[in-house]
Amino acid sequence: MATEAPPPPRNGTDTDHGPVPPTTEQFVEVQQGEEFGELRRTYRSFAFPLTLAFIAWYLLYVLLSNYAGDFMSTRLFGNINVALVLGLGQFLTTFLIAWLYSRHAANSLDPRAEAIRNRMEGDA
């Protein structure tokens, strides 16, 4: 169902409709700004190295499983062998990386993103 109501004005806020979203030009201006670039660098400097390290760790596990069967079947204690310990290590590192990212985002990314959002919506 279409309505004939005009769109709200783009001058900050409209008391009847709440905050007015920024224009495309405002988004592009912020995206090209130094503050957004710093936010992006902070994210990438954390996410890319950990992603590459985890992929390397995962591929090492897969390669060892395929080509080092004797090593992976080495018993450590009881029925626990190297393959089981390294496999559980995959889960452990996944949770560790998620926890580290959560802390990093809360401390470094979220406050910067919130400041940018507030400025764009006219709250600051």
Side-chain angles (χ1 to χ4, degrees):
M1 174 168 119
T3 151
E4 298 299 321
R10 292 199 171 268
N11 61 358
T13 61
D14 180 355
T15 56
D16 293 338
H17 297 95
V20 176
T23 64
T24 302
E25 293 79 19
Q26 289 169 319
F27 273 112
V28 170
E29 181 182 329
V30 168
Q31 183 182 14
Q32 293 172 349
E34 180 60 33
E35 187 178 19
F36 187 80
E38 182 62 30
L39 176 63
R40 189 175 20 222
R41 277 188 294 281
T42 302
Y43 166 74
R44 289 178 179 172
S45 69
F46 183 88
F48 287 175
L50 275 179
T51 301
L52 292 175
F54 185 79
I55 289 172
W57 160 228
Y58 176 75
L59 290 176
L60 174 67
Y61 178 72
V62 170
L63 291 173
L64 287 173
S65 295
N66 283 321
Y67 300 110
D70 291 339
F71 169 70
M72 295 294 272
S73 64
T74 303
R75 287 185 180 218
L76 299 176
F77 48 91
N79 287 329
I80 308 299
N81 62 16
V82 173
L84 181 62
V85 171
L86 293 180
L88 292 174
Q90 292 286 317
F91 287 100
L92 193 63
T93 53
T94 299
F95 292 120
L96 178 65
I97 289 170
W99 177 71
L100 289 171
Y101 178 76
S102 177
R103 282 188 47 213
H104 174 71
N107 294 331
S108 299
L109 302 176
D110 293 347
R112 293 177 184 183
E114 184 73 16
I116 292 170
R117 185 189 66 82
N118 286 340
R119 252 191 317 289
M120 287 190 75
E121 290 180 354
D123 295 345

